């Protein structure tokens, strides 16, 4: 049984954090951690990609057909595909072809882990 | 009495979220929200700036003298100052001159609000 990505978020404080979720407040990041995190933040740091992420995240089941994503953004289909690929490559979206359309789903744990980097552990 | 930035984090679910902390999963971002958020994520999406943030955040009192920040990063003082200015301009650090040195402190609520954008509200 392979643990699901969500399992890392269900663990206690004692669980080993995944490489991408070491809160900034705990200890200084080393070079490799900073490089890896910066690459994922770079994927998010674009207005069109933030809008795509939120369109998909707010969609039923946090999944959407690419056919539902071009019109709200008023961008060309190739431009939307380019942004979606960056988000898939960063591990923030999954892509599945079903019939003639591709469907994109948010990788919730990946977004939450990225978010958790910025949040101080106030309980300590 | 002006409310402190921290006050927005002490509110309940019913509190009005500040413009920068509308979780992606709640509703699609509009253009203005996406532009504003992307600009702050852009400030974070750099390895040197992530290391600076974490050096300061992990320092006692989440504050550090600029004199303690150049050596660990192995960057020139002007380069470090440039990165620090971007973080101050993004509202993620404050800068205070005391004697001959500038001291930088993490704006915890600003980081937490940015992080909270990425986190689904699992209680809903």
């Amino acid at each position: 049984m392979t643990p699901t990505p969500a399992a890392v978020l269900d663990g206690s404080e004692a669980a080993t954090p995944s490489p991408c979720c070491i809160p900034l407040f705990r200890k200084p990041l080393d070079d490799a951690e900073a490089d890896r995190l910066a690459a994922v933040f770079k994927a998010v740091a674009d207005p069109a990609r933030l809008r795509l992420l939120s369109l998909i995240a707010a969609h039923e089941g946090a999944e959407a057909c690419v056919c539902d994503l071009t019109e709200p953004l008023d961008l060309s289909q190739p431009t939307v595909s380019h942004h979606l690929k960056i988000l898939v490559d960063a591990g923030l979206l999954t892509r599945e072809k079903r019939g003639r359309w591709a469907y994109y789903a948010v990788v919730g744990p990946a977004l939450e882990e990225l978010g958790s980097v910025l949040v101080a552990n106030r309980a300590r």
Side-chain angles (χ1 to χ4, degrees), chain A:
Chain A
M1 300 257 282
T2 314
T4 62
V8 298
L9 292 169
D10 297 330
S12 69
E13 260 295 280
T16 308
S18 76
C20 86
C21 61
I22 298 159
L24 295 181
F25 290 80
R26 196 157 299 172
K27 63 176 185 68
L29 296 174
D30 66 30
D31 269 351
E33 290 162 348
D35 286 350
R36 187 171 44 236
L37 278 172
V40 187
F41 277 121
K42 219 163 265 178
V44 170
D46 176 275
R49 293 199 287 277
L50 275 171
R51 291 199 65 200
L52 281 169
L53 272 177
S54 73
L55 274 169
I56 299 168
H59 209 262
E60 203 183 327
E63 185 193 67
C65 173
V66 66
C67 55
D68 292 327
L69 298 173
T70 46
E71 202 188 295
L73 263 74
D74 201 19
L75 295 172
S76 72
Q77 206 268 311
T79 301
V80 168
S81 291
H82 163 77
H83 286 306
L84 288 168
K85 186 176 183 315
I86 289 172
L87 291 168
V88 170
D89 290 347
L92 300 173
L93 291 181
T94 58
R95 178 186 188 276
E96 194 190 344
K97 194 92 188 285
R98 293 207 293 271
R100 63 181 289 211
W101 296 111
Y103 289 78
Y104 291 86
V106 164
V107 183
L111 278 179
E112 296 205 16
E113 286 175 345
L114 193 65
S116 72
V117 170
L118 303 173
V119 176
N121 186 340
R122 290 177 164 238
R124 282 183 313 144

